[in-house]
Amino acid sequence: MACQAAVIGLRAASTKQLLVSRNQLARVSPRRWLNLQEYQSKKLMQDNGVTVQRFFVADSASEALEAAKRLKAKEIVLKAQILAGGRGKGVFDSGLKGGVHLTKDFDVQVHLNKLECRGKVSLTTKQTPKEGVKVKMVMVAEALDISRETYFAILMDRSCNGPVMVGSPQGGVDIEEVASTTPELIFKEVIDIFEGVRDDQALRMAANLGFKGPLERQAADQIKRLYDLFLKVDATQVEVNPLGETPEGQVVCFDAKINFDDNAEFRQKAVFAMDDTAESDPLETEAAKYDLKYIGLDGNIACFVNGAGLAMATCDIIDLHGGKPANFLDLGGGVKENQVYAAFKLLTADPKVEAILVNIFGGIVNCAIIANGITKACRELELKVPLVVRLEGTNVQEAKRILSESGLPITSATDLDDAAKKAVAAIPKK
């Protein structure tokens, strides 16, 4: 069960779920997390001695043709670079199927004209919005035959108080399905954070993955190098699927996903400088500058809260009373007035917003700071939509005095239920 829980935790590290009603589950990806394109992750691996396919990146047909010539490979693969999985089964809005193309004739001009670099067409996959994502560059890589595929990952496991290795001889497939149907094929090794990956652990994992003879030692070496990378870049997860072997006797990391600890940004400036925000919602990107957690939704009532749990409860109760949340905005704990002002600026920039609900429970947060930020934002931004405020906790009486003496049209609420009802009622009837 521990192995299965660790595997299931892999996906939990990259996808969060937000409950917006008792009957509806909206999946959202927290865009403020570091997003790297495939070629960037592979470059990190390559620079740290991990074996990957030889590759170049191109944003034009001429660059791709030059890259293909430099590779001098028997076969090349062209892969559209977007921050989404399922590219191979994706569809371009031009009608072309597949964001991954193999070719042996080096007629990359034809393939690139189809893939359309520089943001000319969009690729839609199971993980993108319905309108797809603009493709601005492609990876031109050496195509290698794979004789066998395995799965390998290193991740932080709360139950083990540190990193663990998880592997399976069944790679190139959905690892959760493997864990569910054949849990005996999931292998786990707990890593001593002070000692690191021991030789016997790496060799045992390589053997469990099915590598034999000289390949076992080669796979163990790759495992240790992946752990070195895991530590070096402050990763929370390095997942390789597949970790494959070729007919020529090479162990190669064919595809990888790396998740990073956002708290380590101060010492990983080079890595975080690679963050690709081009595909992110501009509001979410702007919010991250002020350390605000913002996720856009489809409704018309903006939610301005502190704490993820309170944010989910606020969204849910708005829906319960017949409204629809327009966003998920979490201020966090150490709030400053400028963050409150920035939050209001973000909320009012969304044309869908017809009312704003502020729901603050002041534990660490000083309610008076929130109140001062609210009154400043209302005056300077000339707020045009109804504003409902519910404050509770630290310095709440002072906060209520600030709001009541401001002379601004702010509707106060006694509790969350009252606040949600008033916010829904404030929406103009159409």
Side-chain angles (χ1 to χ4, degrees), residues 8-31:
I8 293 171
L10 289 168
R11 293 294 180 261
S14 57
T15 303
K16 298 294 183 189
Q17 295 180 329
L18 173 64
L19 184 63
V20 295
S21 78
R22 286 177 288 188
N23 301 312
Q24 179 185 4
L25 196 62
R27 285 192 173 272
V28 290
S29 298
R31 292 292 191 158

Side-chain angles (χ1 to χ4, degrees), residues 260-415:
F260 301 86
D261 182 355
D262 281 353
N263 295 315
E265 181 176 0
F266 72 97
R267 65 182 176 212
Q268 297 291 346
K269 295 190 183 300
V271 172
F272 278 77
M274 295 190 289
D275 192 9
D276 188 341
T277 60
E279 297 175 26
S280 300
D281 184 320
L283 290 177
E284 294 172 3
T285 302
E286 184 66 20
K289 294 178 183 177
Y290 298 93
D291 200 25
L292 301 171
K293 303 175 187 71
Y294 178 96
I295 298 169
L297 300 173
D298 295 329
N300 55 4
I301 299 177
C303 303
F304 176 37
V305 303
N306 65 313
L310 191 59
M312 290 188 282
T314 303
C315 288
D316 200 34
I317 202 162
I318 286 173
D319 190 86
L320 178 67
H321 288 297
K324 295 293 179 185
N327 66 274
F328 171 108
L329 193 151
D330 175 12
L331 276 171
V335 182
K336 297 183 175 67
E337 280 187 34
N338 69 315
Q339 286 178 293
V340 178
Y341 180 84
F344 266 82
K345 197 170 181 180
L346 286 167
L347 297 176
T348 54
D350 185 347
K352 300 192 307 294
V353 170
E354 296 182 66
I356 298 174
L357 170 54
V358 176
N359 183 26
I360 300 294
F361 184 82
I364 300 173
V365 174
N366 186 329
C367 290
I369 292 177
I370 300 291
N372 283 323
I374 289 173
T375 55
K376 178 184 176 183
C378 288
R379 289 191 178 100
E380 295 188 14
L381 298 174
E382 298 180 353
L383 191 65
K384 300 290 195 303
V385 297
L387 172 62
V388 179
V389 178
R390 178 258 182 166
L391 300 174
E392 195 60 66
T394 303
N395 216 6
V396 67
Q397 295 305 321
E398 175 64 13
K400 289 180 178 180
R401 184 194 65 77
I402 292 169
L403 295 179
S404 65
E405 295 178 4
S406 68
L408 296 166
I410 299 172
T411 302
S412 295
T414 56
D415 54 34

Side-chain angles (χ1 to χ4, degrees), residues 30-339:
R31 292 292 191 158
R32 66 181 298 272
W33 289 2
L34 177 61
N35 290 303
L36 295 187
Q37 298 282 3
E38 177 190 9
Y39 77 89
Q40 294 172 313
S41 294
K42 284 192 171 179
K43 181 68 165 59
L44 282 176
M45 296 171 73
Q46 187 180 63
D47 291 346
N48 285 274
V50 178
T51 303
V52 299
Q53 299 155 280
R54 294 181 298 124
F55 69 92
F56 296 100
V57 180
D59 66 1
S60 69
S62 59
E63 283 188 14
L65 181 59
E66 181 61 31
K69 291 177 180 177
R70 289 169 65 192
L71 285 171
K72 296 180 181 178
K74 294 179 181 178
E75 186 174 22
I76 61 171
V77 57
L78 298 166
K79 302 180 78 173
Q81 295 297 285
I82 63 170
L83 295 170
R87 289 168 294 169
K89 295 181 180 180
V91 180
F92 286 91
D93 55 11
S94 63
L96 176 71
K97 293 184 177 179
V100 179
H101 287 258
L102 284 165
T103 179
K104 291 182 178 180
D105 59 14
F106 287 86
D107 189 6
V108 296
Q109 181 73 46
V110 174
H111 288 277
L112 278 201
N113 285 343
K114 293 177 180 178
L115 287 179
E116 292 281 8
C117 296
R118 299 193 176 183
K120 294 180 182 177
V121 296
S122 296
L123 176 64
T124 302
T125 77
K126 62 182 180 181
Q127 292 186 9
T128 65
K130 346 180 248 196
E131 65 274 14
V133 174
K134 295 289 185 184
V135 177
K136 297 182 179 178
M137 62 181 69
V138 296
M139 186 173 75
V140 184
E142 171 188 30
L144 297 175
D145 292 329
I146 306 176
S147 56
R148 199 174 64 85
E149 296 180 326
T150 73
Y151 173 93
F152 178 75
I154 303 169
L155 68 150
M156 298 302 292
D157 186 347
R158 188 183 298 273
S159 65
C160 298
N161 294 318
V164 298
M165 295 187 288
V166 178
S168 174
Q170 295 293 314
V173 295
D174 187 341
I175 194 63
E176 289 98 331
E177 183 65 24
V178 176
S180 175
T181 58
T182 52
E184 69 277 8
L185 294 180
I186 299 294
F187 299 93
K188 177 181 175 181
E189 290 277 349
V190 178
I191 302 170
D192 185 316
I193 193 69
F194 298 106
E195 193 175 12
V197 177
R198 303 189 309 272
D199 286 344
D200 65 298
Q201 283 185 303
L203 286 168
R204 185 163 55 246
M205 178 60 76
N208 286 334
L209 296 183
F211 292 103
K212 302 184 184 303
L215 288 177
E216 183 179 320
R217 174 65 65 178
Q218 191 182 147
D221 178 65
Q222 290 297 297
I223 286 169
K224 296 195 75 171
R225 289 175 186 268
L226 285 166
Y227 182 67
D228 289 342
L229 172 64
F230 179 85
L231 289 182
K232 182 178 178 180
V233 299
D234 284 299
T236 56
Q237 172 185 303
V238 174
E239 182 183 35
V240 182
N241 191 19
L243 174 65
E245 63 179 70
T246 69
E248 294 76 26
Q250 264 192 310
V251 177
V252 180
C253 296
F254 282 95
D255 203 355
K257 178 176 179 61
I258 305 177
N259 288 347
F260 301 86
D261 182 355
D262 281 353
N263 295 315
E265 181 176 0
F266 72 97
R267 65 182 176 212
Q268 297 291 346
K269 295 190 183 300
V271 172
F272 278 77
M274 295 190 289
D275 192 9
D276 188 341
T277 60
E279 297 175 26
S280 300
D281 184 320
L283 290 177
E284 294 172 3
T285 302
E286 184 66 20
K289 294 178 183 177
Y290 298 93
D291 200 25
L292 301 171
K293 303 175 187 71
Y294 178 96
I295 298 169
L297 300 173
D298 295 329
N300 55 4
I301 299 177
C303 303
F304 176 37
V305 303
N306 65 313
L310 191 59
M312 290 188 282
T314 303
C315 288
D316 200 34
I317 202 162
I318 286 173
D319 190 86
L320 178 67
H321 288 297
K324 295 293 179 185
N327 66 274
F328 171 108
L329 193 151
D330 175 12
L331 276 171
V335 182
K336 297 183 175 67
E337 280 187 34
N338 69 315
Q339 286 178 293

